[in-house]
Amino acid sequence: MTIDAQDDPAPTRAQRRRERERAAARESILSAARELARSEGWETVTMRRLAERIDYSANFAYRYFTGRDDILLTLIRDGFTRLRDAMDTASRRPAAESAAATSDTDVPDVAAIRRAAHAYLDFALTEPDLYQLMYGLGGVRMPAADTWVEGQAVGDVLTGLLAAAGDRQPEQHVLQLWATAHGLVALLVVGRVDVDSAALHALLEEALTDCLTRALPAPASPRRSGRSAAEPTGKPTGKRQL
Protein backbone atom coordinates (compact mmCIF):
# COMPACT_ATOMS: atom_id res chain seq x y z
CA MET A 1 0.00 0.00 0.00
CA THR A 2 1.31 3.42 -0.87
CA ILE A 3 0.62 6.65 0.88
CA ASP A 4 0.12 9.70 -1.24
CA ALA A 5 2.52 12.48 -0.38
CA GLN A 6 0.79 15.26 1.42
CA ASP A 7 1.28 18.86 0.33
CA ASP A 8 3.02 21.05 2.84
CA PRO A 9 0.37 22.61 5.03
CA ALA A 10 -0.25 26.32 4.62
CA PRO A 11 1.46 28.43 7.27
CA THR A 12 -0.69 29.19 10.24
CA ARG A 13 -1.65 32.70 11.26
CA ALA A 14 0.89 32.55 14.07
CA GLN A 15 3.65 31.46 11.67
CA ARG A 16 2.79 34.28 9.28
CA ARG A 17 2.88 36.76 12.13
CA ARG A 18 6.30 35.49 13.29
CA GLU A 19 7.63 35.76 9.74
CA ARG A 20 6.40 39.35 9.48
CA GLU A 21 7.99 40.16 12.82
CA ARG A 22 11.26 38.57 11.71
CA ALA A 23 11.25 40.53 8.44
CA ALA A 24 10.50 43.75 10.33
CA ALA A 25 13.30 43.11 12.82
CA ARG A 26 15.82 42.40 10.06
CA GLU A 27 14.80 45.56 8.22
CA SER A 28 15.12 47.64 11.39
CA ILE A 29 18.68 46.38 11.84
CA LEU A 30 19.57 47.02 8.19
CA SER A 31 18.02 50.48 8.36
CA ALA A 32 20.00 51.26 11.50
CA ALA A 33 23.20 50.15 9.73
CA ARG A 34 22.48 52.44 6.78
CA GLU A 35 21.72 55.40 9.05
CA LEU A 36 24.82 54.85 11.17
CA ALA A 37 27.01 54.60 8.07
CA ARG A 38 25.46 57.74 6.61
CA SER A 39 26.21 59.76 9.75
CA GLU A 40 29.50 58.23 10.93
CA GLY A 41 30.86 55.94 8.21
CA TRP A 42 30.74 52.20 7.55
CA GLU A 43 33.68 51.45 9.82
CA THR A 44 31.52 52.45 12.81
CA VAL A 45 28.87 49.83 12.05
CA THR A 46 29.26 47.18 14.76
CA MET A 47 26.79 44.87 16.46
CA ARG A 48 27.09 46.86 19.69
CA ARG A 49 26.48 50.20 18.00
CA LEU A 50 23.50 48.79 16.13
CA ALA A 51 21.98 47.45 19.33
CA GLU A 52 22.36 50.89 20.91
CA ARG A 53 20.78 52.57 17.92
CA ILE A 54 17.67 50.39 17.88
CA ASP A 55 17.52 50.38 21.71
CA TYR A 56 17.73 46.62 22.20
CA SER A 57 20.15 44.33 24.00
CA ALA A 58 23.51 43.63 22.39
CA ASN A 59 22.38 40.11 21.49
CA PHE A 60 19.24 41.19 19.65
CA ALA A 61 20.86 41.52 16.20
CA TYR A 62 22.46 38.08 16.54
CA ARG A 63 19.00 36.51 16.39
CA TYR A 64 18.71 37.62 12.78
CA PHE A 65 22.31 37.96 11.52
CA THR A 66 25.46 35.98 12.28
CA GLY A 67 27.48 39.17 12.70
CA ARG A 68 28.43 42.50 11.18
CA ASP A 69 29.75 40.94 7.97
CA ASP A 70 26.44 39.17 7.45
CA ILE A 71 24.66 42.52 7.71
CA LEU A 72 27.05 44.23 5.32
CA LEU A 73 26.83 41.40 2.77
CA THR A 74 23.04 41.56 2.91
CA LEU A 75 23.18 45.28 2.16
CA ILE A 76 25.69 44.79 -0.65
CA ARG A 77 23.67 42.04 -2.31
CA ASP A 78 20.54 44.15 -2.07
CA GLY A 79 22.46 47.09 -3.55
CA PHE A 80 23.62 45.10 -6.56
CA THR A 81 20.10 43.81 -7.12
CA ARG A 82 18.69 47.33 -7.03
CA LEU A 83 21.42 48.62 -9.33
CA ARG A 84 20.79 45.85 -11.85
CA ASP A 85 17.06 46.48 -11.75
CA ALA A 86 17.54 50.25 -12.18
CA MET A 87 19.71 49.73 -15.26
CA ASP A 88 17.37 47.16 -16.74
CA THR A 89 14.34 49.38 -16.15
CA ALA A 90 16.08 52.40 -17.67
CA SER A 91 17.08 50.42 -20.76
CA ARG A 92 13.43 49.52 -21.36
CA ARG A 93 12.09 53.03 -20.72
CA PRO A 94 10.71 54.89 -23.76
CA ALA A 95 13.25 57.37 -25.09
CA ALA A 96 10.80 60.25 -24.60
CA GLU A 97 11.04 59.73 -20.84
CA SER A 98 14.83 60.00 -20.76
CA ALA A 99 15.77 62.38 -23.56
CA ALA A 100 18.71 63.82 -21.64
CA ALA A 101 20.56 60.51 -21.87
CA THR A 102 19.96 59.84 -25.55
CA SER A 103 20.35 61.44 -28.92
CA ASP A 104 17.41 62.16 -31.20
CA THR A 105 19.21 60.18 -33.88
CA ASP A 106 20.01 57.14 -31.74
CA VAL A 107 18.51 53.85 -32.86
CA PRO A 108 16.61 52.02 -30.08
CA ASP A 109 19.43 49.61 -29.18
CA VAL A 110 21.97 52.40 -28.78
CA ALA A 111 19.56 54.59 -26.82
CA ALA A 112 18.97 51.70 -24.41
CA ILE A 113 22.72 51.36 -23.80
CA ARG A 114 23.01 55.05 -23.02
CA ARG A 115 20.06 54.97 -20.62
CA ALA A 116 21.41 51.93 -18.76
CA ALA A 117 24.86 53.50 -18.37
CA HIS A 118 23.43 56.77 -17.08
CA ALA A 119 21.22 54.80 -14.66
CA TYR A 120 24.40 53.27 -13.19
CA LEU A 121 25.79 56.74 -12.54
CA ASP A 122 22.46 57.96 -11.15
CA PHE A 123 22.43 55.10 -8.65
CA ALA A 124 25.94 55.92 -7.46
CA LEU A 125 25.05 59.59 -7.03
CA THR A 126 21.73 59.03 -5.25
CA GLU A 127 22.93 56.14 -3.05
CA PRO A 128 26.51 57.22 -2.30
CA ASP A 129 26.90 55.43 1.03
CA LEU A 130 25.58 52.13 -0.31
CA TYR A 131 27.61 52.43 -3.51
CA GLN A 132 30.77 53.02 -1.50
CA LEU A 133 30.11 49.87 0.54
CA MET A 134 29.42 47.84 -2.61
CA TYR A 135 32.74 48.83 -4.16
CA GLY A 136 34.96 49.15 -1.10
CA LEU A 137 35.16 52.95 -1.12
CA GLY A 138 33.76 53.51 2.34
CA GLY A 139 36.61 52.29 4.51
CA VAL A 140 35.22 48.75 4.75
CA ARG A 141 36.12 46.06 2.23
CA MET A 142 34.21 42.83 1.82
CA PRO A 143 35.57 39.94 -0.30
CA ALA A 144 34.48 40.47 -3.91
CA ALA A 145 34.01 36.71 -4.29
CA ASP A 146 31.16 36.81 -1.77
CA THR A 147 29.04 38.98 -4.09
CA TRP A 148 30.52 38.00 -7.44
CA VAL A 149 27.27 36.64 -8.85
CA GLU A 150 25.33 39.77 -7.97
CA GLY A 151 28.02 42.04 -9.41
CA GLN A 152 28.23 39.95 -12.55
CA ALA A 153 24.49 40.39 -13.08
CA VAL A 154 24.97 44.18 -13.22
CA GLY A 155 27.55 43.83 -15.98
CA ASP A 156 25.37 41.37 -17.82
CA VAL A 157 22.76 44.09 -18.38
CA LEU A 158 25.16 46.16 -20.46
CA THR A 159 26.75 43.11 -22.06
CA GLY A 160 23.38 41.99 -23.39
CA LEU A 161 22.50 45.45 -24.66
CA LEU A 162 25.83 45.88 -26.45
CA ALA A 163 25.59 42.42 -28.03
CA ALA A 164 22.06 43.17 -29.22
CA ALA A 165 23.33 46.36 -30.87
CA GLY A 166 25.98 44.42 -32.81
CA ASP A 167 29.03 44.70 -30.56
CA ARG A 168 31.37 41.78 -31.19
CA GLN A 169 33.37 42.40 -28.01
CA PRO A 170 30.73 43.44 -25.48
CA GLU A 171 32.56 42.33 -22.33
CA GLN A 172 35.64 44.34 -23.24
CA HIS A 173 33.54 47.46 -23.79
CA VAL A 174 31.54 46.94 -20.61
CA LEU A 175 34.83 46.97 -18.72
CA GLN A 176 35.81 50.20 -20.46
CA LEU A 177 32.50 51.91 -19.70
CA TRP A 178 32.49 50.68 -16.11
CA ALA A 179 36.02 51.98 -15.57
CA THR A 180 34.84 55.41 -16.73
CA ALA A 181 31.63 55.55 -14.67
CA HIS A 182 33.18 54.05 -11.55
CA GLY A 183 36.29 56.21 -11.92
CA LEU A 184 34.20 59.37 -12.03
CA VAL A 185 32.35 58.34 -8.86
CA ALA A 186 35.57 57.36 -7.06
CA LEU A 187 37.21 60.71 -7.89
CA LEU A 188 34.13 62.48 -6.57
CA VAL A 189 34.13 60.43 -3.36
CA VAL A 190 37.77 61.19 -2.54
CA GLY A 191 37.33 64.86 -3.36
CA ARG A 192 39.54 64.93 -6.46
CA VAL A 193 36.85 66.49 -8.63
CA ASP A 194 34.40 69.20 -7.73
CA VAL A 195 31.62 69.00 -10.31
CA ASP A 196 27.88 68.54 -10.17
CA SER A 197 25.91 65.52 -11.35
CA ALA A 198 25.12 67.10 -14.72
CA ALA A 199 28.82 67.51 -15.45
CA LEU A 200 29.51 63.88 -14.49
CA HIS A 201 26.72 62.71 -16.80
CA ALA A 202 28.18 64.86 -19.59
CA LEU A 203 31.60 63.26 -19.12
CA LEU A 204 30.04 59.80 -19.17
CA GLU A 205 28.10 60.69 -22.31
CA GLU A 206 31.34 61.64 -24.09
CA ALA A 207 32.87 58.30 -23.09
CA LEU A 208 29.76 56.46 -24.26
CA THR A 209 29.87 58.15 -27.65
CA ASP A 210 33.55 57.35 -28.14
CA CYS A 211 33.09 53.73 -27.06
CA LEU A 212 29.97 53.10 -29.12
CA THR A 213 31.54 54.66 -32.21
CA ARG A 214 34.32 52.12 -32.06
CA ALA A 215 32.29 49.17 -30.80
CA LEU A 216 29.20 49.19 -32.99
CA PRO A 217 28.58 48.95 -36.73
CA ALA A 218 28.76 52.35 -38.45
CA PRO A 219 24.96 52.87 -38.84
CA ALA A 220 24.61 52.61 -35.05
CA SER A 221 27.07 55.44 -34.38
CA PRO A 222 25.06 58.56 -35.27
CA ARG A 223 27.20 61.05 -33.37
CA ARG A 224 30.26 60.24 -35.45
CA SER A 225 28.48 59.57 -38.74
CA GLY A 226 31.49 60.55 -40.83
CA ARG A 227 33.72 57.95 -39.26
CA SER A 228 33.52 54.19 -39.73
CA ALA A 229 33.48 51.97 -36.69
CA ALA A 230 36.80 50.31 -36.02
CA GLU A 231 37.05 46.63 -36.75
CA PRO A 232 37.32 44.57 -33.56
CA THR A 233 40.79 43.27 -32.84
CA GLY A 234 42.07 40.76 -30.35
CA LYS A 235 39.94 38.52 -28.19
CA PRO A 236 37.29 39.50 -25.63
CA THR A 237 38.56 39.85 -22.10
CA GLY A 238 37.59 37.41 -19.37
CA LYS A 239 34.67 37.71 -16.99
CA ARG A 240 34.24 41.01 -15.20
CA GLN A 241 32.19 42.09 -12.23
CA LEU A 242 30.59 45.49 -11.90
Side-chain angles (χ1 to χ4, degrees):
M1 182 176 69
T2 61
I3 300 176
D4 293 334
Q6 298 293 321
D7 293 334
D8 291 337
T12 64
R13 180 177 301 178
Q15 289 172 329
R16 291 195 298 270
R17 183 184 68 253
R18 284 195 296 270
E19 187 57 34
R20 288 194 300 271
E21 291 172 349
R22 176 180 174 79
R26 283 176 60 89
E27 181 52 38
S28 70
I29 295 167
L30 295 174
S31 179
R34 289 190 291 264
E35 292 171 2
L36 183 57
R38 190 175 300 116
S39 60
E40 301 182 39
W42 286 106
E43 66 276 5
T44 67
V45 176
T46 65
M47 300 300 273
R48 181 182 61 81
R49 291 295 305 278
L50 290 175
E52 293 172 354
R53 200 169 187 90
I54 58 181
D55 199 24
Y56 276 89
S57 69
N59 290 327
F60 175 77
Y62 283 105
R63 300 178 189 174
Y64 305 99
F65 296 96
T66 59
R68 187 195 72 155
D69 286 358
D70 188 18
I71 293 173
L72 297 184
L73 284 173
T74 299
L75 290 168
I76 292 171
R77 290 186 176 113
D78 177 66
F80 277 124
T81 298
R82 290 170 54 198
L83 175 54
R84 180 204 64 205
D85 290 347
M87 293 171 64
D88 184 61
T89 299
S91 73
R92 300 173 188 276
R93 187 178 304 139
E97 297 181 17
S98 53
T102 63
S103 164
D104 289 340
T105 56
D106 274 343
V107 297
D109 286 343
V110 177
I113 295 168
R114 293 185 189 277
R115 292 196 300 271
H118 283 282
Y120 178 99
L121 186 55
D122 275 332
F123 180 91
L125 294 174
T126 57
E127 298 275 3
D129 301 296
L130 180 56
Y131 184 89
Q132 290 174 43
L133 177 65
M134 290 161 59
Y135 289 105
L137 299 175
V140 174
R141 292 182 179 274
M142 302 299 293
D146 290 346
T147 55
W148 185 266
V149 172
E150 293 84 358
Q152 186 78 16
V154 173
D156 287 344
V157 174
L158 272 182
T159 300
L161 292 170
L162 284 164
D167 188 353
R168 294 168 60 186
Q169 293 181 303
E171 289 193 345
Q172 176 176 309
H173 295 125
V174 166
L175 181 58
Q176 178 185 349
L177 292 172
W178 174 49
T180 299
H182 179 69
L184 290 171
V185 175
L187 288 171
L188 184 66
V189 167
V190 300
R192 291 298 182 180
V193 295
D194 184 17
V195 295
D196 60 17
S197 61
L200 289 178
H201 277 288
L203 290 169
L204 177 59
E205 182 65 13
E206 287 294 324
L208 276 163
T209 296
D210 290 342
C211 179
L212 295 177
T213 296
R214 294 190 305 272
L216 303 182
S221 303
R223 297 196 174 192
R224 299 286 180 85
S225 57
R227 175 182 170 189
S228 298
E231 289 295 327
T233 58
K235 295 182 179 181
T237 59
K239 288 290 185 181
R240 76 281 166 273
Q241 179 201 186
L242 295 197

